[in-house]
Amino acid sequence: MAADQGGVITAERAPQTRRIGPVESFLSWLVKGENNLASQLLLLPTSFWLTVFLLVPLGLLLATSFAQRGDYGSIVWHFSFGNYLRALNPEYLPILLRSVRYALAATIVCLILGYPFAYYVSFFVEGRKKDLFLIALMIPFWSSCLISIYSWIIILGSEGLINSLLPALGLPKIQFLNTSFSVILGLTYFYLPFMVLPLYSSLEKIPKTYLEASKDLGAGCVQTFLKVTVPLSFPGIFAGVLLTFIPCVGDFLTAEFLGGPQNYLVGNLIQNQFMMAQDWPFGAALASLLIFFLLSGLWVYKKLEGRSLGMELR
Amino acid sequence: MDQKITRREFISLGVSTLALPAFLSSCLKESPKQALNFYNWSNYIGKNTIPNFEKETGIAVNYELFSDEEEMFAKLKTGVQGYDLAVATDFLIPRLKALNLVSPVPHDKLKNLDNLEPRFRKPPYDPNLDHSVPYLWGTTGIGYNKKKVTPAPSSWKALWDPRYKGKMTMLDNVRDAVGCTLLMLGLPTDTSDPAHLERVKKALIEQKPLLKRYTSAGFDGDLLAEESWLCQGWSGDVLRAAKENPAVDYAIPQEGSFLYVDSLCLIQGGRHHEEALKFIDYLLKPEVIAEVTNTVSYPNPNRNSAPYLSKSLAADPRVYPDSRTMKRLSFYNVLKPEVEDRWNQLWQQIKVA
């Protein structure tokens, strides 16, 4: 016990008689969380973080979206709805729809690829080996996202890996890059772990006894899967779909490098306002609108989900 | 093992936490050694330029790179501190000046300023060189692959040739894309006439399905790897690609093109302007800037550097255009803010179309 080295060593030193210092008693008070104040103190660092680095910037974004662009890209704090009116111009609608379409496609592909993987790892892989599978899933994250994009360019390019192999097999070259295919592929590649991890954590939590009970009660494998496993993994599906879909809608790097001029997405449009066009207020309005659309989509979904659950209970 | 934190450990942790800000600020504080923070385009300096300067003067140069001038401008605009000297393209200089992001350059501190060619002493973007000193210049033109593109492109119209569909790239900026289209259509290059701009828009939207991509940072790489056969590009980068792939060549179209100047600017708020001025003066020495040109294949505005240039570069009309080509080149127009806005909106409409 380093703390008590200087004290007199007595025979009857026992844990319960050890003097507790003020720091230690404070820590134990904090960690026990019996007191309301203590438990709130535990939230302090995160609240501080979220306030300073999320709420304040969001507020600034919202404020900027009502300002106006001055000469040479400066911001003039003159209130107007002009940016929003401009953002709702129908010429931007196809871009928004395209982004939603690509994000949806990538999310569906992620779900189709991710669910069997998560299912396999949660039910058929034992103990330590699970970590191995999850690490394998995370490996792409260890390299920078730009390097992965360039690797895809090398693989898919018109003089790239696949296209240099195709003629050897007697097949014609295929234009992979700069198509909707390459953008959706890129999105799927980057966001697959965001789908798998929540799926895995919800499938993992399903007690095997439930599955056994279902079989005991006469359900076949398929029926057990459809009526027990899938519904119980629903929170994971929901979280995975959200974690994939939302960043996909706003992604701009993938479209920038793999999409070509025909696959301009809403993320590129917003990024362009902040960089090339130097029109921050308009960019802020576009970004705020996107957040608003996503939040209201989520809200509608929650409402519908609540209603359908209610109907089931009745 | 006892998992509790002992008091001594806790205190030492606390002390080190308290000491952290002091430690960090001491890192950020000036080292007694003279230093200079220089912000430049990537691939835009000679191999020995900085080491020789450091040896000569004892001033340490912290060198930071950007590959996109919009990114550089956005960074300076948001008030990122710590840069003393930056390279900015001509069109940015009026903006930097208007937003008070650059400091005036005291000419009396620059002994070698007279080495500049007269043509670069009174450029339209900064007529008295009050806020900038020309560093290197270059031209916008067409980079192409000699094996794939016949005949060699002589007009901007080559970039609309459907035979090269999917094998062409355009620069991703409004000045070059819209500017060169205006030249191709024979329209004034500072126009704000809606009818003119409508024609530009139509032409560029027509071109879009033929393009591989818009890129200002990757056109040379695409050309080198033969992923593209034709591009709108900047001379030095195309010529560097040509060094590695002999099929690559560079041409300035008959309709004319633009000449741009990348300049050295003192960044407002930098604390090492004295050192920065020494560095600018060093770069104005003919032998120093010649080494830069020899490395990057971009011409320099120094009238005394020719003897130090590698022979092949000095005689290459693609690097130093001949006087006939020179007549077809002009500086970018300094657009009025409202015209610039109009152009930016046009560019946006083309992108989303």
Side-chain angles (χ1 to χ4, degrees), chain B residues 110-131:
Chain B
L110 302 172
K111 298 194 300 289
N112 300 323
L113 198 64
D114 278 340
N115 287 338
L116 288 178
E117 268 179 53
R119 180 169 6 133
F120 295 100
R121 300 295 296 269
K122 292 193 185 319
Y125 57 84
D126 189 13
N128 300 316
L129 296 183
D130 288 331
H131 291 79

Side-chain angles (χ1 to χ4, degrees), chain B residues 31 35 69 85 104 152 157 193 227 283 300 304 327 335:
Chain B
S31 51
E69 59 206 341
L85 182 66
K157 291 196 178 89
D193 180 339
E227 285 277 340
L283 289 172
N300 65 63
N304 300 321
K327 287 203 189 95
L335 299 175

Side-chain angles (χ1 to χ4, degrees), chain A residues 100-267:
Chain A
V100 169
R101 218 164 53 229
Y102 287 6
L104 260 181
T107 307
I108 291 168
V109 178
C110 278
L111 188 62
I112 292 170
L113 292 175
Y115 201 93
F117 179 84
Y119 185 78
Y120 178 81
V121 177
S122 350
F123 291 117
F124 304 121
V125 180
E126 290 303 322
R128 272 275 177 85
K129 280 191 189 157
K130 283 186 179 175
D131 296 342
L132 219 64
F133 276 89
L134 294 177
I135 288 171
L137 181 75
M138 299 308 291
I139 282 177
F141 270 143
W142 295 356
S143 71
S144 136
C145 141
L146 269 177
I147 291 177
S148 319
I149 290 188
Y150 275 104
S151 313
W152 276 116
I153 294 177
I154 292 169
I155 295 170
L156 301 174
S158 58
E159 305 297 325
L161 198 64
I162 300 181
N163 273 325
S164 60
L165 291 175
L166 286 177
L169 300 169
L171 297 166
K173 287 192 175 187
I174 301 171
Q175 163 86 27
F176 293 110
L177 266 190
N178 298 351
T179 58
S180 50
F181 167 77
S182 57
V183 179
I184 293 167
L185 177 77
L187 290 173
T188 307
Y189 175 81
F190 293 119
Y191 293 105
L192 185 61
F194 290 88
M195 177 64 88
V196 172
L197 291 177
L199 282 177
Y200 168 75
S201 73
S202 74
L203 284 167
E204 170 79 336
K205 268 187 281 179
I206 299 175
K208 294 231 164 106
T209 48
Y210 283 22
L211 307 183
E212 284 159 16
S214 158
K215 281 176 193 158
D216 281 349
L217 293 169
C221 283
V222 176
Q223 228 177 345
T224 304
F225 175 74
L226 290 178
K227 296 219 157 155
V228 181
T229 315
V230 171
L232 284 175
S233 68
F234 197 73
I237 298 178
F238 182 65
V241 165
L242 277 189
L243 283 179
T244 316
F245 181 74
I246 290 178
C248 276
V249 174
D251 190 282
F252 69 92
L253 273 178
T254 315
E256 170 107 26
F257 286 94
L258 302 177
Q262 307 288 36
N263 288 302
Y264 199 73
L265 300 183
V266 74

Side-chain angles (χ1 to χ4, degrees), chain B residues 7 34 73 132 142 181 185 210 235 257 264 268 282 352:
Chain B
R7 202 183 317 166
Q34 285 178 301
F73 177 65
S132 67
I142 296 181
T181 310
L185 298 171
L210 302 173
S235 54
S257 185
L264 298 153
Q268 188 75 261
Y282 167 78
V352 303

Side-chain angles (χ1 to χ4, degrees), chain B residues 187 192-200:
Chain B
L187 299 169
S192 57
D193 180 339
H196 291 168
L197 294 178
E198 197 52 40
R199 283 179 64 192
V200 170

Side-chain angles (χ1 to χ4, degrees), chain B residues 40-296:
Chain B
N40 191 8
W41 282 95
S42 51
N43 293 325
Y44 215 42
I45 199 152
K47 259 191 220 98
N48 303 313
T49 315
I50 289 177
N52 284 349
F53 177 73
E54 290 180 328
K55 246 183 272 164
E56 211 172 278
T57 60
I59 297 169
V61 179
N62 303 320
Y63 189 46
E64 200 178 317
L65 301 173
F66 58 88
S67 63
D68 178 349
E69 59 206 341
E70 311 288 348
E71 166 202 323
M72 181 276 269
F73 177 65
K75 216 165 167 182
L76 293 181
K77 201 178 92 173
T78 43
V80 175
Q81 291 292 311
Y83 299 117
D84 304 304
L85 182 66
V87 170
T89 310
D90 45 27
F91 74 94
L92 277 177
I93 289 162
R95 278 201 226 170
L96 290 167
K97 218 159 42 176
L99 298 175
N100 214 10
L101 296 171
V102 286
S103 307
V105 179
H107 285 196
D108 53 319
K109 293 275 171 64
L110 302 172
K111 298 194 300 289
N112 300 323
L113 198 64
D114 278 340
N115 287 338
L116 288 178
E117 268 179 53
R119 180 169 6 133
F120 295 100
R121 300 295 296 269
K122 292 193 185 319
Y125 57 84
D126 189 13
N128 300 316
L129 296 183
D130 288 331
H131 291 79
S132 67
V133 177
Y135 171 52
L136 295 172
W137 58 281
T139 56
T140 303
I142 296 181
Y144 64 101
N145 188 314
K146 282 185 279 195
K147 287 188 305 192
K148 313 276 188 186
V149 180
T150 46
S154 61
S155 156
W156 288 114
K157 291 196 178 89
L159 288 162
W160 272 258
D161 191 332
R163 284 183 297 162
Y164 309 119
K165 180 169 195 254
K167 294 289 183 186
M168 301 189 283
T169 68
M170 283 287 275
L171 287 169
D172 191 5
N173 76 62
V174 64
R175 286 166 309 286
D176 288 310
V178 173
C180 294
T181 310
L182 284 167
L183 283 171
M184 177 180 81
L185 298 171
L187 299 169
T189 52
D190 59 349
T191 187
S192 57
D193 180 339
H196 291 168
L197 294 178
E198 197 52 40
R199 283 179 64 192
V200 170
K201 181 175 157 186
K202 208 175 138 249
L204 284 170
I205 289 176
E206 236 173 62
Q207 184 201 35
K208 238 175 103 170
L210 302 173
L211 291 181
K212 177 176 149 62
R213 57 173 172 154
Y214 293 106
T215 172
S216 302
F219 62 88
D220 47 343
D222 282 0
L223 209 55
L224 178 64
E226 309 204 344
E227 285 277 340
S228 76
W229 299 343
L230 262 174
C231 72
Q232 186 189 36
W234 294 314
S235 54
D237 295 284
V238 172
L239 292 171
R240 250 200 333 270
K243 272 189 198 167
E244 290 182 55
N245 182 345
V248 171
D249 207 349
Y250 180 76
I252 292 172
Q254 64 196 20
E255 297 98 334
S257 185
F258 298 103
L259 175 162
Y260 59 85
V261 184
D262 282 323
S263 293
L264 298 153
C265 296
L266 293 175
I267 300 305
Q268 188 75 261
R271 281 177 292 185
H272 306 100
H273 283 177
E274 285 299 315
E275 289 88 337
L277 286 163
K278 278 187 195 156
F279 190 60
I280 295 177
D281 209 31
Y282 167 78
L283 289 172
L284 284 167
K285 289 184 186 170
E287 66 277 15
V288 172
I289 198 69
E291 196 231 333
V292 179
T293 293
N294 287 338
T295 312
V296 302

